[in-house]
Amino acid sequence: MSASIASPSPSPIRVVVVDDHPVFRLGMVALLSTLDGMEVAAQASSVAEALDVVDAEVDVVLMDLELGDGSGVDATRRLVQAYPALRVLVVTMHEDDESLVASVRAGARGYLVKGADPAEVERAVRAVANGEMILGAAVAARAMTFMAASHRVRSTVFPELTDREREVLDLVARGHDNASISRRLVLSPKTVRNHVSNVLAKLGVPDRSAAIVRARDAGLGLDA
């Protein structure tokens, strides 16, 4: 009778924790280290450290948004560009729309607030590692609001504009300046300026104020 050959055990989920608060970071490392099938590959307290310790062998990065030397949104974008298969799970104190939207646009696959319980953290890490998109209960309603707003912006008003130009115009009509639009859409200031210039030219209006009037007359920016 031949001996059975045991199947190789699946590789653990390799995780890096990025947070500049030592107590929270060490607590998260301790939690993840107790979970079956997970391995904490490294930890980092800054954007520079994150870029240094994350490599192609890492599966999931838990990313804070406020780091001592920069933004977790920027770190997320740079890491995902370098390692397209990498999954980033944002874990932050911020529940605002701008942070959520910027994180997702930068490539994050999940978003939790720091009040999430250990079971929710475990579910989120396993889900994003499996290629799913997950939002914690505290921010799910905000995501639905954003999707509804995006649908309104992609309506038939101003068909001469691209979807991105219409989105920029909607934010202009809400009172956002170029710097705010740049942060919200995760675009460079120059790109935002170009979009605004294109909008003015296509609408045939002389300035930003006139564009706001046209936009609001068409129903954009009214729920600011």
Side-chain angles (χ1 to χ4, degrees):
M1 181 176 179
S2 59
S4 61
I5 300 175
S7 300
S9 57
S11 299
I13 300 170
R14 290 174 54 83
V15 184
V16 170
V17 179
V18 182
D19 197 294
D20 64 348
H21 291 85
V23 173
F24 182 85
R25 185 178 69 252
L26 293 174
M28 185 62 73
V29 168
L31 168 65
L32 296 174
S33 298
T34 67
L35 301 178
D36 291 338
M38 289 194 197
E39 174 186 326
V40 178
Q43 53 181 295
S45 62
S46 66
V47 174
E49 288 182 7
L51 297 176
D52 185 53
V53 301
V54 175
D55 58 28
E57 300 301 315
V58 174
D59 299 303
V60 178
V61 173
L62 271 62
M63 178 72 70
D64 191 15
L65 291 184
E66 291 187 356
L67 301 171
D69 63 342
S71 165
V73 171
D74 180 56
T76 296
R77 181 172 59 251
R78 294 168 68 179
L79 287 171
V80 171
Q81 287 175 347
Y83 307 107
L86 181 67
R87 310 300 185 186
V88 176
L89 171 63
V90 170
V91 184
T92 178
M93 295 178 63
H94 299 289
E95 300 181 47
D96 58 284
D97 297 342
E98 186 168 329
S99 296
L100 169 62
V101 172
S103 298
V104 173
R105 288 188 180 280
R109 299 291 297 178
Y111 196 101
L112 293 180
V113 293
K114 287 187 174 181
D117 61 39
E120 188 173 8
V121 172
E122 179 180 3
R123 286 194 300 271
V125 173
R126 295 191 190 281
V128 297
N130 195 41
E132 300 175 32
M133 179 77 184
I134 189 164
L135 302 176
V139 296
R142 292 186 179 277
M144 294 301 295
T145 298
F146 170 70
M147 293 300 292
S150 296
H151 177 74
R152 290 196 299 273
V153 171
R154 291 193 298 269
S155 65
T156 57
V157 298
F158 304 124
E160 65 270 34
L161 303 182
T162 66
D163 286 345
R164 176 65 88 188
E165 289 167 351
R166 199 175 296 112
E167 190 173 20
V168 169
L169 177 59
D170 181 69
L171 292 174
V172 168
R174 293 169 186 265
H176 291 278
D177 60 16
N178 284 6
S180 174
I181 295 172
S182 175
R183 291 191 300 270
R184 189 178 184 91
L185 299 183
V186 196
L187 298 173
S188 71
K190 180 180 179 181
T191 298
V192 173
R193 288 195 301 271
N194 289 341
H195 282 314
V196 172
S197 295
N198 289 340
V199 167
L200 298 182
K202 289 182 179 181
L203 296 186
V205 294
D207 53 34
R208 200 180 188 96
S209 297
I212 291 174
V213 172
R214 287 282 306 277
R216 291 185 174 177
D217 285 346
L220 296 182
L222 297 180
D223 56 345

